[in-house]
Amino acid sequence: MANCTGNRVSTIHSFDEYTNNLIEEICSNTHDCQEPDDKVRKEIASLVSSAMKKNLTAPIVSLFAKLQEYHRKFNIPLGALGLDRSRLEELALKHQQIDEHMVSVGGRLTQALPIADEANDRVEAYLAQKGVEAASGIELWPEIQENAKRIKHILRMSDADWNSTSGQLRNAVDSVETLGSLINLPGKAIEAIGRVTKTYRMRLTPYYTSLIMPGLVNDPIMLQSIPTGEMIDNAGIEIPPVAADHSPARLIDQFYPRVLTIKATNMCAMYCTHCLRLAHIGKRDKVYSKEAYGEALAYIRNNDRIRDVLITGGDAFILPNSILKFILAELDGIDHVKIKRLGTRVPVTMPMRVNDELLDILEASNDQKPVRVVTQINTAREITPVSRDTFRKISKRVFAVLNQAVLLKGINDSRVKMWKLCETIQESYVRPYYIFNCSYRNPQFKHFRVPLEVGRDIVESMYGNISGDAIPRYISTAGGKIPMHRDNVVGKNDSNEYTLRKPWNDVEVLYPDADPDVYDKKGFAFEEYMKE
Ligand SMILES: *Cc1c(COP(=O)(O)O)cnc(C)c1O
Ligand code: SF4
C-alpha cells in the first residue's frame, strides 16, 4: 500500500483559482491507490526533469497534464512519484514567471487548451473535406493544364492565341458541337443543350472551358457556363425584358440616393447560366455610342448626391481600354464622385485580358480617387494559379478587390464549399464582400435557388471558424440589397443585459449594455476641468 498522504506544505504564493484547483486535485488523497509501475515512474521523472531544467512553459504544462491524467485514471499518489506539493507550486510559479502575460499553468491546462480543443472540433470536418468536396483550381492545376493542352490542340490554338484576349475571344466556344468535342459530352446532352442555346446564349472562353473536369457529373464550372434544359422548362423561351423601373437615365440603374451603376456594355467573356442580367446581355454583343455614355455621365454630373459609381455590364473589363480610360477620367473629373467600382468576372473567365495597359489605367485612376474591382467567384474551382496571379496584380494597383458570390445549388451551397471559396479567394488577394441569394425574378434559375435557412446557416457557420476578414454578408436582392443575417441578439432582461448567441456553437451569453444614465449624461470630464 502506497503512502496516500499528500504532502501539505503551506501555500507560499497565491495562484489563481484554476491553478489552486489543479494542484489541489493532483495532491488530493486517493483511495485504493496504485503503485506506479516503472514505466510511469520513468515517464514522470523525465517530465519533471525537463520542467525543472528548461526555461519553457510547455514541459511544465505537459507534466501537470500527465499528473492530472494519472491521478484520475490510476489514483497514483504524488509521493509515490517522488513529488510533493511544494515542487508543484515551485513549477507553477515558474510557469507564471516565464510567461509574458503571466498566464497560469492551471488556466492554460484546464481552460485555454480545452477551449482550443473544442474549437478544433468545429473545423475538423472542414479540414478533412475541403480538398475532396471543394478542391480549388490551384489544387487541380495539373488536370487543368492537361485540359488546356487538349483544348488548344483541338481548336488549333497557339500559345500566343491562348495567352491573348483576341485569341480567347476568337476561339470562344459558342456551339454545342465544338463544346462536345472539347469536353466529351454524351449525345443526349448535346441534343438538350442545342435546344436551350437557341434561346439562351452560350459562350465559354477556351480558358474557362479548361476548368471543366470532363466526365465529372454536375461539374460546378459546367453548371455555371453551359445552359441546360431546366432553363426552358422553368420559364419557357421568352426572356422578359429589362425592367424599366430602376433606370432614371440611359445606361443607368439606381436604387439608392448616393450609389448607382452604369451598365457600360452588354458583353461578357463568358455567359453565366445564372445571370441576373439575362435580358440585358441579350442575344448579341453591342457597342454603345459616345452619346449613350455621354447621357449617363451627364446624369451623374447633374446629380451631386452621387458619390459612388459602379461601372458594370455585362463585364466592365470587356470594354476596350480606351473606353474604360475615358469613363474613369470623366468620373474623376466630377467633384462629387468619390469612389469608382468596376464589376468584372474577367479575372476568372479570361484572365489574359488583364494586361499592363489596363493595370496602368486602373492605377492612374486609383491615384485620383479610390478604385475598387468587384468580381464574381462562386467556387474555389475558379481560382487557378493564373487567376490568383491576376488578382494579385490588380490588388497592387487598386484600393480593393471584392467578391460578390451568388449562392447556387450544387456549386457552393454547403459549409465546406463556401468556407473553401471564401478562404481561397482571401488567399488570392480578394476580399469576400457579398453572397447573393439567387434571384427569384428570373424563373429560369429556379433549379439553382437555395432556401434562405440554408444560406443563413452557411454564412453564420463561418463566424469563429474562419477569419473575420473572409466572411461575406448574405444578401437578397428585391429592389435593393437586403441583409439576411440571422439575429444573434436573442433578448434583453430587466438588468440592462442582452442575451447574445454565439453563431458558431449556439451558446448564449449575457452581455451588459452601456449604462443608459451614463450615456444620457452630457459631455465629458474635460468640461469640469476647464471650469474656472
Ligand atoms: C448592387 C448595386 C449597388 C451597390 O450596392 P452596395 O451595397 O453599395 O455594394 C448600387 N446600385 C445598384 C443598382 C446595384 O445593383
Ligand atoms: S459575368 Fe455577370 S453579367 Fe456577365 S453573364 Fe455572368 S453574371 Fe451575367
Side-chain angles (χ1 to χ4, degrees):
M1 192 64 179
N3 175 14
C4 288
T5 325
N7 227 336
R8 292 216 162 247
V9 177
S10 66
T11 311
I12 317 157
H13 306 282
S14 65
F15 294 115
D16 64 6
E17 168 199 8
Y18 306 129
T19 305
N20 281 333
N21 290 345
L22 178 63
I23 294 178
E24 203 56 51
E25 182 189 351
I26 298 174
C27 293
S28 66
N29 287 330
T30 49
H31 303 284
D32 307 321
C33 341
Q34 288 182 19
E35 273 298 333
D37 61 24
D38 251 12
K39 202 174 135 240
V40 168
R41 220 192 297 270
K42 270 200 193 128
E43 185 189 6
I44 296 291
S46 140
L47 284 171
V48 172
S49 150
S50 318
M52 302 280 293
K53 264 196 242 142
K54 293 183 183 158
N55 224 27
L56 296 172
T57 56
I60 301 175
V61 174
S62 304
L63 172 67
F64 276 80
K66 262 296 161 221
L67 289 173
Q68 189 187 41
E69 182 193 330
Y70 286 161
H71 189 271
R72 286 180 182 176
K73 265 201 219 156
F74 309 123
N75 290 332
I76 296 177
L78 204 54
L81 293 165
L83 282 169
D84 60 21
R85 188 183 187 106
S86 64
R87 178 50 51 87
L88 294 191
E89 288 180 348
E90 183 193 328
L91 286 171
L93 183 69
K94 181 178 172 188
H95 185 283
Q96 220 153 291
Q97 284 169 343
I98 299 174
D99 191 89
E100 283 68 18
H101 305 291
M102 288 185 295
V103 173
S104 70
V105 63
R108 185 154 283 152
L109 182 63
T110 66
Q111 305 299 309
L113 287 169
I115 289 173
D117 270 350
E118 191 195 290
N120 286 337
D121 287 348
R122 295 200 306 266
V123 298
E124 219 55 67
Y126 170 65
L127 295 177
Q129 274 302 311
K130 72 185 182 114
V132 187
E133 185 182 331
S136 71
I138 294 173
E139 288 153 344
L140 292 174
W141 189 233
E143 285 88 335
I144 293 171
Q145 281 175 299
E146 277 303 307
N147 293 341
K149 221 166 97 186
R150 188 186 65 246
I151 293 168
K152 266 188 230 172
H153 177 76
I154 298 173
L155 296 179
R156 296 202 188 90
M157 289 176 76
S158 65
D159 285 342
D161 286 338
W162 187 270
N163 293 322
S164 72
T165 308
S166 59
Q168 287 285 331
L169 287 178
R170 234 183 312 112
N171 290 284
V173 182
D174 53 10
S175 87
V176 203
E177 292 71 29
T178 313
L179 182 70
S181 73
L182 298 178
I183 60 167
N184 191 20
L185 280 173
K188 228 162 85 185
I190 295 184
E191 193 186 311
I193 295 163
R195 180 168 69 96
V196 202
T197 47
K198 288 199 177 76
T199 308
Y200 297 103
R201 244 180 143 169
M202 179 178 78
R203 170 157 79 192
L204 295 85
T205 56
Y207 167 82
Y208 199 77
T209 313
S210 75
L211 308 187
I212 298 174
M213 292 299 145
L216 186 67
V217 184
N218 297 328
D219 181 282
I221 301 292
M222 203 154 103
L223 284 171
Q224 290 184 73
S225 53
I226 304 175
T228 56
E230 282 140 321
M231 296 177 79
I232 287 178
D233 300 341
N234 288 342
I237 57 161
E238 285 303 310
I239 300 178
V242 181
D245 50 351
H246 290 303
S247 182
R250 203 164 168 189
L251 303 188
I252 301 276
D253 263 1
Q254 187 173 10
F255 294 143
Y256 308 125
R258 310 192 65 199
V259 198
L260 54 68
T261 63
I262 311 179
K263 291 180 290 186
T265 173
N266 81 329
M267 296 184 236
C268 298
M270 186 273 277
Y271 291 109
C272 310
T273 51
H274 56 273
C275 177
L276 198 67
R277 307 229 158 136
L278 197 60
H280 177 63
I281 60 177
K283 289 205 190 284
R284 56 190 180 84
D285 294 347
K286 288 182 204 149
V287 176
Y288 297 164
S289 62
K290 278 255 171 190
E291 288 75 32
Y293 295 128
E295 281 197 52
L297 290 163
Y299 179 81
I300 296 165
R301 199 171 289 116
N302 295 332
N303 188 340
D304 66 8
R305 287 206 171 91
I306 303 301
R307 64 178 284 282
D308 185 353
V309 175
L310 280 75
I311 305 167
T312 68
D315 193 309
F317 281 8
I318 285 295
L319 289 167
N321 286 342
S322 59
I323 299 207
L324 266 180
K325 190 172 172 179
F326 161 77
I327 297 175
L328 286 170
E330 289 289 305
L331 293 175
D332 284 330
I334 300 173
D335 256 3
H336 54 264
V337 173
K338 306 296 187 194
I339 307 269
K340 298 126 332 181
R341 291 190 246 181
L342 293 155
T344 177
R345 198 154 151 62
V346 148
V348 297
T349 57
M350 191 175 57
M352 28 313 262
R353 158 70 181 99
V354 184
N355 54 20
D356 287 342
E357 191 188 335
L358 172 58
L359 292 168
D360 289 344
I361 291 169
L362 296 180
E363 183 176 354
S365 180
N366 188 62
D367 283 343
Q368 302 291 312
K369 297 165 191 177
V371 169
R372 287 189 244 177
V373 169
V374 183
T375 191
Q376 186 199 135
I377 311 162
N378 297 323
T379 158
R381 283 276 300 278
E382 288 171 317
I383 296 287
T384 66
V386 176
S387 54
R388 181 178 182 276
D389 201 48
T390 304
F391 285 123
R392 182 185 61 77
K393 286 187 201 153
I394 298 171
S395 74
K396 275 169 88 169
R397 309 289 195 104
V398 302
F399 167 51
V401 184
L402 305 173
N403 187 48
Q404 301 186 335
V406 185
L407 181 61
L408 297 165
K409 179 178 159 187
I411 292 165
N412 54 25
D413 64 332
S414 75
R415 287 188 183 193
V416 171
K417 286 174 181 161
M418 193 59 92
W419 293 17
K420 179 70 179 275
L421 169 65
C422 291
E423 291 196 340
T424 308
I425 64 178
Q426 191 199 26
E427 291 159 20
S428 306
Y429 305 87
V430 179
R431 164 86 169 87
Y433 176 44
Y434 284 151
I435 293 179
F436 289 129
N437 223 34
C438 183
S439 173
Y440 70 94
R441 282 177 190 267
N442 297 86
Q444 286 84 353
F445 319 134
K446 224 188 227 165
H447 57 296
F448 278 139
R449 296 197 73 216
V450 176
L452 256 169
E453 256 332 293
V454 175
R456 285 172 138 186
D457 175 73
I458 290 171
V459 178
E460 297 273 319
S461 72
M462 294 187 202
Y463 285 89
N465 295 329
I466 73 174
S467 310
D469 188 42
I471 304 177
R473 277 167 276 175
Y474 182 34
I475 302 285
S476 283
T477 38
K481 297 182 177 69
I482 306 171
M484 286 294 122
H485 283 252
R486 205 181 289 161
D487 195 353
N488 293 300
V489 183
V490 180
K492 191 177 188 182
N493 62 22
D494 294 340
S495 316
N496 196 38
E497 291 170 322
Y498 281 98
T499 301
L500 305 185
R501 192 184 62 90
K502 299 188 182 187
W504 54 90
N505 59 6
D506 284 339
V507 169
E508 293 183 357
V509 289
L510 283 180
Y511 182 86
D513 197 8
D515 185 332
D517 294 336
V518 176
Y519 185 69
D520 284 345
K521 228 173 85 182
K522 297 267 178 297
F524 294 94
F526 281 114
E527 286 161 37
E528 291 300 312
Y529 307 152
M530 306 292 190
K531 264 189 207 148
E532 254 317 292

